[in-house]
Amino acid sequence: MRIINVILFTIAVFLIGCYTVHLETFSDDPILRLKQKYSLHLDTTWTTKQASPLLKIFESFSTDLNFHPSIWKISDNLEEDIKIEFQNSLKSVTINSDVFPVEGSEQDFSAEKRLFYAAVQFITENGTNTEAIKLIIKDRYGISVDIPSYDLLTQRVTQETAEHYSDFENEDLMLFISILEEFPQALHKIPELRYVVRRIDDKIRAPGLAWTSEGYIELSQTLFTRDFPDDTRRLIAHEKSHFLWTYLFSDQLKQDWAKLGGWQKDLKSESGWSTTKNREEFVTDYAYQNNPNEDLAESIGFYLVYPDKLRSCSSAKYDFIHNRIMLMYGERYISPDMMQDTSFSGISDHLLRY
């Protein structure tokens, strides 16, 4: 009888253990899920409400990312958004309490961005882990910088080989993240945009080109060696916008934009278009001299990087992009200049420090 009781007790313990594991595996508690899936141990300073947006960010990335155990805490006295230290070979992470969204606050969206950039800094090991950076760009924006064959990629356009291109540096890739994230989430991935390449020769073509029919963006190497990162970010946004125009924006949106810019088809013009508007209503000569597609690409680039310049040229164009694109494709969007610290050297500067 005693043997039978021991056996039954053992079975009961085993079943309880299995049941407990089952509960942990499928728990909805974000604090527990961060621990189980990513080895993030949140201390008692965390609440479920604070853990939820962090879990959402991590779950938006690839499951191929591997994490060593780390301990996370929140502080009200941190100058930066995130501080990463090592204590006895264990990674210790401190997050600024200001990066968490406050319900009803005008800075709600800004806080979400700051939390995202802090998470990226952790995942990429301060921008030094190349594979982690590439995984983020691939998972979140659908873009690869690893080209299987340059010959095949360029065969219908420039017909160039790998010797004409170079690999992106980690700092270049972090620059991509800092501007691609500024688009509304619904515009993060454009299936037709598959690759971005870094061309060595900066004289044979324009600094940036969107080969929309071939699925890639070409950027010159010198764009990443000059001292104007904001302008490089603007150009990246410009080239991505051509894919939005070609594959996503409706005919009605394009027609409304053309009307706003005074554009009309003109066979006598080199671009096939001309505008009845004054030059002062365009952010650049390039936007003024070409067509509605280039005008919108230039305007979106300025909206994301130099919003005040766009607004001063044409508040109507600023409002069009804000309402018809940024708000339409995102639940909430606050243009960078509406944030407390909005320059590239502000909320996303730490992406390029290392």
Side-chain angles (χ1 to χ4, degrees):
M1 185 68 179
R2 179 179 298 177
I3 294 176
I4 294 175
N5 288 336
V6 170
I7 293 174
L8 291 174
F9 177 77
T10 303
I11 293 174
V13 170
F14 175 76
L15 291 174
I16 291 172
C18 292
Y19 182 66
T20 302
V21 171
H22 177 79
L23 282 178
E24 289 184 351
T25 302
F26 296 97
S27 172
D28 291 330
D29 182 356
I31 295 177
L32 184 57
R33 289 180 66 83
L34 283 166
K35 177 181 178 181
Q36 292 173 329
K37 295 181 65 175
Y38 307 105
S39 298
L40 272 62
H41 299 261
L42 309 188
D43 73 1
T44 56
T45 59
W46 287 77
T47 66
T48 299
K49 191 173 182 179
Q50 290 167 322
S52 292
L54 184 64
L55 175 63
K56 184 178 179 181
I57 291 170
F58 272 83
E59 289 184 334
S60 70
F61 300 136
S62 174
T63 54
D64 294 334
L65 291 169
N66 297 315
F67 300 96
H68 296 293
S70 56
I71 299 176
W72 291 58
K73 64 180 179 180
I74 299 173
S75 174
D76 296 329
N77 302 309
L78 196 65
E79 293 184 1
E80 298 182 337
D81 287 344
I82 185 171
K83 183 178 180 181
I84 304 171
E85 302 173 296
F86 283 91
Q87 298 179 355
N88 299 323
S89 299
L90 185 64
K91 188 176 289 187
S92 175
V93 182
T94 306
I95 291 286
N96 192 324
S97 59
D98 291 338
V99 305
F100 297 99
V102 177
E103 189 174 349
S105 170
E106 294 181 357
Q107 301 298 321
D108 190 26
F109 192 80
S110 172
E112 288 183 11
K113 291 286 187 184
R114 291 172 61 186
L115 181 61
F116 168 79
Y117 291 132
V120 168
Q121 189 173 344
F122 169 79
I123 293 169
T124 64
E125 300 176 34
N126 292 329
T128 63
N129 188 325
T130 305
E131 292 308 311
I133 300 172
K134 289 181 179 180
L135 278 171
I136 290 174
I137 294 174
K138 179 65 175 177
D139 288 345
R140 197 165 180 89
Y141 313 113
I143 298 173
S144 175
V145 295
D146 293 324
I147 313 303
S149 170
Y150 284 98
D151 304 65
L152 292 176
L153 186 67
T154 67
Q155 64 180 343
R156 296 197 299 178
V157 282
T158 63
Q159 299 179 342
E160 293 171 332
T161 59
E163 65 182 10
H164 295 91
Y165 301 91
S166 64
D167 292 333
F168 288 100
E169 302 291 338
N170 286 347
E171 188 173 3
D172 305 338
L173 299 178
M174 297 297 276
L175 194 74
F176 283 135
I177 295 174
S178 75
I179 186 61
L180 295 176
E181 186 63 25
E182 291 303 314
F183 285 87
Q185 189 170 352
L187 301 182
H188 279 181
K189 288 184 179 180
I190 307 299
E192 293 79 9
L193 174 54
R194 301 184 299 275
Y195 300 104
V196 176
V197 300
R198 191 176 191 251
R199 189 184 73 239
I200 294 174
D201 191 342
D202 66 337
K203 298 178 181 179
I204 58 175
R205 289 187 291 277
L209 284 168
W211 297 103
T212 53
S213 63
E214 310 307 309
Y216 72 97
I217 289 173
E218 171 189 312
L219 301 168
S220 71
Q221 183 170 274
T222 53
L223 282 173
F224 301 95
T225 58
R226 60 185 187 175
D227 296 326
F228 304 101
D230 268 341
D231 212 47
T232 301
R233 295 172 72 242
R234 180 189 65 79
L235 184 59
I236 294 170
H238 172 115
E239 302 306 340
K240 172 167 178 169
S241 296
H242 283 312
F243 280 85
L244 301 178
W245 177 279
T246 303
Y247 294 108
L248 186 66
F249 292 156
S250 67
D251 289 340
Q252 186 63 57
L253 187 146
K254 295 177 187 178
Q255 291 169 13
D256 291 346
W257 175 261
K259 182 178 180 180
L260 179 61
W263 289 105
Q264 54 190 12
K265 292 186 178 181
D266 182 358
L267 297 179
K268 297 180 180 179
S269 171
E270 183 178 350
S271 68
W273 292 81
S274 62
T275 177
T276 58
K277 300 289 185 178
N278 296 323
R279 163 63 183 88
E280 291 75 18
E281 297 183 46
F282 296 82
V283 287
T284 62
D285 289 337
Y286 188 73
Y288 174 67
Q289 294 167 355
N290 280 275
N291 53 51
N293 185 348
E294 295 292 353
D295 181 21
L296 183 56
E298 282 284 86
S299 298
I300 289 176
F302 273 80
Y303 177 92
L304 293 174
V305 182
Y306 306 118
D308 288 338
K309 175 65 182 298
L310 175 61
R311 192 187 288 112
S312 66
C313 290
S314 174
S315 60
K317 287 184 177 180
Y318 179 95
D319 291 340
F320 184 101
I321 294 172
H322 186 75
N323 295 318
R324 297 286 298 275
I325 298 175
M326 299 302 168
L327 288 181
M328 182 175 292
Y329 290 97
E331 293 181 1
R332 291 168 297 160
Y333 190 86
I334 299 178
S335 183
D337 68 316
M338 299 173 71
M339 299 180 186
Q340 185 174 4
D341 186 3
T342 63
S343 67
F344 177 62
S345 59
I347 68 168
S348 58
D349 178 52
H350 58 279
L351 291 179
L352 296 180
R353 286 183 197 161
Y354 301 92

